[in-house]
Amino acid sequence: MSDTKSVGSAASSSSNNKNGASPNEPAGNIVPTSYSTDFMSFLKGVLSFTGDLSSLTCPSFLLNGISLLEYGAHWSDYPHVLVEVTKATDSVERMKLVARWFVSTLYGSYNKRVAESNTGEKKPFNPILGEQFLASWDDSTYGETKFICEQVSHHPPVSAIYFENAKAGIYGSGHFSQKSKFKGTTMKVVQDGRVTLRMKNSDEVYCLSLPSLNICSILSGKPFLEMSNTTFIRSSKGYTAEFHWHTKPWLYGEYHKFDGKILKDTATNFVQDGPGQEYLFAMKGKWVGDSYFVNQKTGEEQILFDVGAQPAADIIIKPIEQQSVLESRRVWHNVSEALASGNYDVASKEKTDIEENQRKLRRERAEANTEWKPTLFTWVDDADAEEAVKSCYIYLNSAVSSVGTGSWVFNNPLQPSAKSKSASEASGTQTPSDAFSTAQSSVL
């Protein structure tokens, strides 16, 4: 049978929270009592480190037993919300539905693990080069939604994602990487990357930037995530959704609030409150709870998304024995098993063995003067992208530089553009049509 556990359940299970996230900080400490001294030593090293914290080795007792690649699957937590985007009859309604889908991805990505366990956030595994995570969701009404993720770079670490629902004709691709450093007592995480959403029944393209994160309460051993800064969605028809993520004030207020707006903006570049912008809808609420649209002409409120109204769909993952040697749960199986049993010494040894093998492979490629290439994705510069994508990211780059100047594009999408297809063919990394059922190995 396939594994239908929620993403994040590889090493532990958690209680169901029907009402969404807890509004408060987690109660449970992530540090085992016998490792308190080791934790303090690790913190001293972290606080004095001046580089990107992702390059530091994390003690095994702070690992959650999940590969970072699995987190990408939260883009498909609510397949029906994704599919509903294709039912819009005009660009304004479509932008509202894309905004709704985007907000639906956030709870699972950044809060669910803490909210359902009431224990602090632990660190995921850093994926190995070429690691893959494949999953699907099946619904009798909406059809099958598929997801695939590949680690396309190790230095810097970059994960590429692709998801599709063939029945509805909607698909998206993107990539993300993270840079982290301490500021005061909080870890600041900047997420570089983007996601591009397309539909077969519309020529409209939607391009999204990613939120920044604050990891709070690390010193107390009860870390949790807050979102910060501003995120944008830009459509190729000239509509923009702008989200402002608010961290809790020092002495008062609430966690996880946001506000924003949807506007019509025909400008080439983004300008805050620029001339000619038409303010259509306000957005407000909590990204871990309920949120609303407010029509700026009528004042009417409409639900944006409600986390507690329905559970996320069950994810389907092949049993480990049927996975390729590059699929996440097989790669990290022994480490996850050791963590689940609390055997941190064994977990550290198994993790070190994986990392040493990766170093050996890098040395062998260097000696053979061989360049590693991803199996499933191809890099496409914005200058070589179709005009709709290019114009969207020109606009977004004037607002947030974190979207970069190119995209990792899946080699076998539902409806490839001429430019992405030619780039894929030139790379020599064409993927067979059954990429979701057979992960190909380009490392071992």
Side-chain angles (χ1 to χ4, degrees):
M1 292 180 63
S2 298
D3 186 351
T4 57
K5 296 177 182 178
S6 299
V7 171
S9 61
S12 62
S13 60
S14 57
S15 60
N16 183 35
N17 184 342
K18 294 182 180 179
N19 297 316
S22 166
N24 302 312
E25 300 178 21
N29 197 303
I30 63 172
V31 183
T33 303
S34 59
Y35 286 85
S36 297
T37 302
D38 299 89
F39 178 61
M40 294 308 298
S41 297
F42 173 68
L43 279 182
K44 289 178 182 178
V46 168
L47 290 171
S48 63
F49 190 73
T50 58
D52 181 8
L53 293 174
S54 64
S55 62
L56 290 179
T57 299
C58 182
S60 290
F61 60 83
L62 297 179
L63 298 173
N64 64 9
I66 309 161
S67 173
L68 181 63
L69 286 194
E70 293 203 28
Y71 287 24
H74 292 299
W75 286 94
S76 302
D77 269 350
Y78 297 88
H80 69 282
V81 177
L82 175 66
V83 168
E84 288 292 326
V85 174
T86 65
K87 299 181 180 180
T89 57
D90 59 63
S91 294
V92 175
E93 184 64 22
R94 194 174 294 115
M95 175 57 89
K96 290 173 65 181
L97 291 174
V98 172
R100 179 177 181 240
W101 162 70
F102 173 57
V103 172
S104 80
T105 71
L106 301 176
Y107 171 63
S109 296
Y110 305 123
N111 190 260
K112 181 178 181 180
R113 293 172 297 278
V114 169
E116 294 191 349
S117 67
N118 200 24
T119 301
E121 183 83 64
K122 288 190 172 186
K123 184 184 180 300
F125 301 131
N126 293 329
I128 65 172
L129 186 64
E131 183 180 326
Q132 300 167 359
F133 179 71
L134 292 79
S136 63
W137 298 256
D138 205 2
D139 186 276
S140 58
T141 301
Y142 297 99
E144 185 181 30
T145 301
K146 298 177 179 179
F147 172 86
I148 192 164
C149 188
E150 181 178 21
Q151 191 71 5
V152 294
S153 174
H154 189 67
H155 295 294
V158 180
S159 307
I161 65 171
Y162 174 80
F163 51 90
E164 70 174 34
N165 184 294
K167 181 177 180 180
I170 188 166
Y171 58 106
S173 62
H175 65 274
F176 59 90
S177 63
Q178 300 177 334
K179 300 175 184 176
S180 54
K181 63 180 181 179
F182 257 99
K183 186 175 181 180
T185 59
T186 298
M187 186 183 294
K188 303 285 187 178
V189 181
V190 175
Q191 294 199 111
D192 292 332
R194 54 171 68 178
V195 171
T196 306
L197 186 68
R198 296 177 172 89
M199 289 137 275
K200 294 181 73 172
N201 68 349
S202 171
D203 62 353
E204 197 163 9
V205 176
Y206 289 82
C207 300
L208 296 79
S209 66
L210 305 177
S212 296
L213 306 171
N214 290 353
I215 306 180
C216 309
S217 297
I218 294 176
L219 300 185
S220 68
K222 303 174 183 180
F224 65 98
L225 297 176
E226 288 192 280
M227 287 167 50
S228 62
N229 294 340
T230 302
T231 302
F232 293 86
I233 304 173
R234 177 64 174 174
S235 87
S236 57
K237 299 294 186 182
Y239 292 89
T240 299
E242 180 180 346
F243 300 85
H244 302 282
W245 314 106
H246 301 297
T247 58
K248 180 183 178 296
W250 182 251
L251 295 175
Y252 60 92
E254 299 178 88
Y255 288 111
H256 311 313
K257 296 184 72 174
F258 78 94
D259 57 52
K261 56 189 175 183
I262 292 176
L263 51 90
K264 171 79 171 182
D265 186 4
T266 58
T268 301
N269 296 302
F270 173 77
V271 177
Q272 187 69 53
D273 301 319
Q277 294 179 353
E278 182 183 358
Y279 188 8
L280 303 174
F281 294 90
M283 297 181 288
K284 63 178 183 178
K286 288 189 172 185
W287 57 268
V288 300
D290 51 2
S291 52
Y292 300 88
F293 294 112
V294 181
N295 189 307
Q296 291 304 284
K297 288 185 178 179
T298 66
E300 178 187 3
E301 283 196 358
Q302 179 186 11
I303 190 72
L304 197 169
F305 189 70
D306 183 355
V307 171
Q310 55 196 313
D314 287 332
I315 192 170
I316 302 170
I317 303 167
K318 288 185 300 184
I320 289 173
E321 60 271 17
Q322 296 179 21
Q323 295 183 14
S324 82
V325 293
L326 285 177
E327 289 187 69
S328 295
R329 292 198 177 181
R330 182 167 172 183
V331 169
W332 299 104
H333 176 68
N334 291 343
V335 189
S336 295
E337 289 289 300
L339 291 174
S341 64
N343 198 331
Y344 299 115
D345 290 338
V346 172
S348 295
K349 180 185 181 303
E350 294 287 351
K351 180 172 175 286
T352 298
D353 288 347
I354 293 171
E355 293 165 346
E356 286 299 326
N357 185 55
Q358 289 300 299
R359 295 185 184 100
K360 176 175 178 288
L361 291 170
R362 285 198 295 273
R363 289 194 298 269
E364 291 175 352
R365 287 195 296 270
E367 292 169 0
N369 197 27
T370 301
E371 181 185 0
W372 181 87
K373 291 184 178 181
T375 302
L376 305 174
F377 292 84
T378 300
W379 177 260
V380 177
D381 284 315
D382 285 345
D384 298 322
E386 62 266 39
E387 192 58 39
V389 171
K390 186 188 304 183
S391 64
C392 282
Y393 284 116
I394 287 174
Y395 182 94
L396 289 182
N397 259 300
S398 65
V400 284
S401 61
S402 60
V403 295
T405 58
S407 301
W408 282 101
V409 177
F410 186 57
N411 293 335
N412 192 31
L414 280 178
Q415 187 171 306
S417 68
K419 290 189 176 183
S420 65
K421 183 178 179 181
S422 62
S424 166
E425 290 170 344
S427 73
T429 57
Q430 282 287 353
T431 306
S433 59
D434 62 348
F436 288 99
S437 59
T438 307
Q440 301 296 308
S441 170
S442 62
V443 176
L444 304 180

